Amino acid sequence: MLMERFYNRRPRRLRANETIRSLVRETTLDVSDFVYPLFITYGENLKAPISSMPGVYRFSIDKVLDEIKDCIDLGIKAFILFGIPEHKDEEGSDTWCDSGVIQRSLDAIKQKFPEAYLITDVCFCEYTSHGHCGVILNNDVDNDLTLENLKKQVVSHAKHGADMVAPSGMMDNMIIAIREALDGAGFTKIPIMAYSAKYASKFYGPFRDAADSTPSFGDRRTYQMDPANKKEAILEMDIDFEQGADIIMVKPALAYLDIIHIAKERYNIPIAAYNVSGEYSMVKAAHKFGSINGVDVMNEMLMSIKRAGADIIITYFAKEYVLQKLEL
Ligand code: PBG
């Protein structure tokens, strides 16, 4: 009998009004879940819009301080910093230089806002003349030469006050190399958020405009992962977990919710997801096109990333989420 077997189960009872819906809601979002990306460059008095990402800007250091003040007032306290240096070179030496754009940013921000939690994106693509994420040898990024430069970069970031480092270059063994370098320099307290499962994604298009980091030849498929692969993502995450990553990241987020879910189930450490530039731009574009309500879709998108298993969401929407209003 149907009634006996299903006990007259009627899930709609718990959807009758907003009060009961909120009592049974399984996932909630909070501003404390978010990390807000900031693009910082040389010069003064600069707040340059990025046309493919309405609401996102490239700031000079003096201007990024205003932005951080606005964010802190909204309750956003964690930031990931991307630098665009004045001079690029073959190896991206600005990344380990005391006068580098990130080093000067860390100094200035920490002096004014010691409570701001500053995560540095640790990579080379914005700093190299060729736009690749490391040292080029025989037309490809050389893994182990790049590790040597990564060590210099993280120690320099830590010296200038970074609270956490987030290596995004997908070099093999980057976590152990960075952990050893930090510990060797006395920075045992600085956590590593590993971009562990980072795919060679076309969703990064707008970011590369923002960060001026498009490779001048080839693409990133010799180091970032093939979007077709799931087992390989588990291998990458296992390696980073074993090497001591404090947080594992999956990137992009929306097209890779299955990977976020696996990460959440598999590791007893926090999982981060990067809601990338293309995901952000699509919402803005579709809202302008009139086909969706961008605020509602933003809320649903962020919720889906949290529900899939992300404890931390890196998102350009952080401010707009708090304001519940899009800048178009
Ligand atoms: C590499 C880096 C990239 C992003 C974050 N870190 C770009 C890339 O791999 O080409 C992309 C972020 C986004 O699309 O929002 N430094």
Side-chain angles (χ1 to χ4, degrees), residues 14 61 80 91 134 179 216 248 258 272 282 297 299 316 321:
L14 302 183
I61 294 173
I80 184 162
E91 295 202 8
R179 187 70 271 161
S216 61
I248 282 177
D258 53 337
M282 287 196 307
V297 169
N299 291 335
Y316 305 97
Y321 178 83

Side-chain angles (χ1 to χ4, degrees), residues 120 122 147 150-167 174-193 243-246:
T120 55
V122 172
L147 293 183
L150 277 174
K151 293 184 202 169
K152 292 190 267 183
Q153 181 177 174
V154 290
V155 170
S156 176
H157 288 178
K159 277 187 184 152
H160 286 266
D163 292 291
M164 181 188 288
V165 294
M174 63 181 185
I175 302 309
I176 189 81
I178 287 172
R179 187 70 271 161
E180 283 177 4
L182 288 173
D183 290 356
F187 296 110
T188 54
K189 289 186 183 167
I190 303 286
I192 302 172
M193 176 161 68
Q243 293 190 359
D246 298 280

Side-chain angles (χ1 to χ4, degrees), residues 82 121 123 125-126 133 168 195 198 203-205 207-208 213 220 224 251 274-278 316:
F82 296 93
D121 180 82
C123 198
C125 54
E126 305 100 298
C133 303
S168 62
Y195 285 70
K198 179 173 179 182
F203 283 94
Y204 306 151
F207 173 96
R208 292 181 188 171
S213 64
R220 304 208 201 290
Q224 298 180 352
K251 178 182 173 193
Y274 200 134
N275 178 214
V276 301
S277 56
Y316 305 97

Side-chain angles (χ1 to χ4, degrees), residues 30-38 71 76-82 117-120 164 166 193 195 247 249 272-275 302 311-319:
D30 188 80
V31 58
S32 63
D33 301 328
F34 301 137
V35 174
Y36 191 52
L38 292 169
C71 288
I76 301 161
K77 294 187 186 121
F79 304 89
I80 184 162
L81 309 184
F82 296 93
Y117 193 89
L118 304 181
I119 305 167
T120 55
M164 181 188 288
M193 176 161 68
Y195 285 70
I247 298 171
M249 194 201 298
Y274 200 134
N275 178 214
L302 293 169
D311 303 288
I312 298 167
I313 304 173
I314 301 164
T315 182
Y316 305 97
F317 281 125
K319 285 172 73 183

